[in-house]
Amino acid sequence: MFAILLSDKMDPFYQNIASFPTAFFTFFLAVCLLYWVVAVLGFVDLDILDFDIPDADGELGANKTDLSTPEVLAGLMMKLGLNGVPTTIVVSFISLFGWLICYFAVHFLFGLVPDGVIRYLVGLPVLIGSLYIAALITAQVIKPLRPLFKSATQHTIKHVLGQTAVVRTSRVDSSFGEVYLDDGGAGLIFKARTTDNQVFNKGDRVVLFEYLKEEHAYRVISEQEFLN
């Protein structure tokens, strides 16, 4: 299998994925794959890219004239139907679908386009079109997932408060960290935060004390503090 990847027959494939505009999606797809690996290993939060996106009937800076960049991105994502699931999942799907669309566009069409400036001029609308189509496809893919995430979050908050979990990341402090809760099944992973500059290390036992809605995280305290 690895011999095939290193054979000369793969050269056109590598050339396509490393050339503009496919290289744009190749980069982000590689970043997404790397992110999921390190997230599973516990080095970063699973929802490190997340920011608040209101529901379809919610408002986003309706009375503001100086919207911040996250608010503008949130508004754009909501307009495209990319809300309701973690942003990391949205970005991963867009990167994958955009890569596939762009790759085949380059593979079948760019043989007719001469090298040089013209290739970049043609590649730019292909890039923008692939990004837009990938966003539309992603919106349809995640649509059936929204109720699952919403109901799961509401149900989970009710029954995990007061439960003891174990720190799974290198640390948990006021701005970083995740904990693992053994629910008798596959287990649950939550973003966790502390107060008063507390820091818990990997393997420490903590109690989920309060749900922080704005951060989509749980405030945790030590097991000893909870029992006292």
Side-chain angles (χ1 to χ4, degrees):
M1 177 179 179
F2 292 105
I4 296 177
L5 296 176
L6 297 176
S7 67
D8 294 338
K9 294 180 180 180
M10 295 296 293
D11 288 346
F13 171 78
Y14 294 133
Q15 184 177 359
N16 284 343
I17 67 174
S19 60
F20 183 82
T22 316
F24 175 85
F25 291 104
T26 300
F27 171 77
F28 281 99
L29 186 59
V31 170
C32 288
L33 291 174
L34 178 61
Y35 159 76
W36 285 111
V37 171
V38 297
V40 169
L41 294 177
F43 292 111
V44 299
D45 288 343
L46 286 173
D47 51 0
I48 192 174
L49 298 178
D50 280 358
F51 46 84
D52 289 334
I53 303 177
D55 295 329
D57 56 350
E59 294 184 357
L60 182 65
N63 299 319
K64 293 184 179 180
T65 58
D66 54 343
L67 296 177
S68 64
T69 299
E71 288 175 326
V72 172
L73 290 175
L76 180 60
M77 292 179 68
M78 184 173 65
K79 185 175 182 179
L80 292 173
L82 300 175
N83 58 310
V85 301
T87 307
T88 47
I89 294 179
V90 172
V91 173
S92 297
F93 273 130
I94 290 178
S95 299
L96 175 60
F97 293 135
W99 184 86
L100 290 171
I101 295 169
C102 206
Y103 173 83
F104 286 109
V106 170
H107 180 74
F108 290 110
L109 300 178
F110 272 47
L112 305 175
V113 179
D115 293 333
V117 178
I118 296 180
R119 182 173 288 261
Y120 285 95
L121 293 177
V122 174
L124 186 58
V126 171
L127 171 62
I128 296 174
S130 299
L131 185 61
Y132 180 68
I133 296 173
L136 296 181
I137 295 175
T138 299
Q140 297 303 312
V141 170
I142 67 174
K143 187 179 293 185
L145 301 179
R146 285 199 203 102
L148 300 179
F149 279 97
K150 186 174 182 179
S151 61
T153 299
Q154 294 174 343
H155 175 71
T156 300
I157 293 173
K158 294 179 180 179
H159 85 269
V160 302
L161 290 178
Q163 298 277 354
T164 300
V166 177
V167 176
R168 70 179 291 268
T169 48
S170 59
R171 72 182 191 283
V172 168
D173 55 28
S174 60
S175 61
F176 173 83
E178 289 180 342
V179 296
Y180 170 81
L181 175 65
D182 185 358
D183 63 343
L188 301 171
I189 296 175
F190 301 110
K191 186 163 67 172
R193 298 292 182 261
T194 65
T195 54
D196 301 327
N197 296 320
Q198 283 184 308
V199 178
F200 298 110
N201 298 316
K202 186 172 184 178
D204 289 347
R205 294 173 62 85
V206 295
V207 175
L208 304 174
F209 188 72
E210 178 186 5
Y211 181 68
L212 307 174
K213 185 176 180 180
E214 293 185 356
E215 300 183 46
H216 303 292
Y218 288 85
R219 183 165 75 88
V220 297
I221 59 176
S222 67
E223 193 174 32
Q224 182 178 2
E225 181 181 355
F226 179 77
L227 293 176
N228 292 337

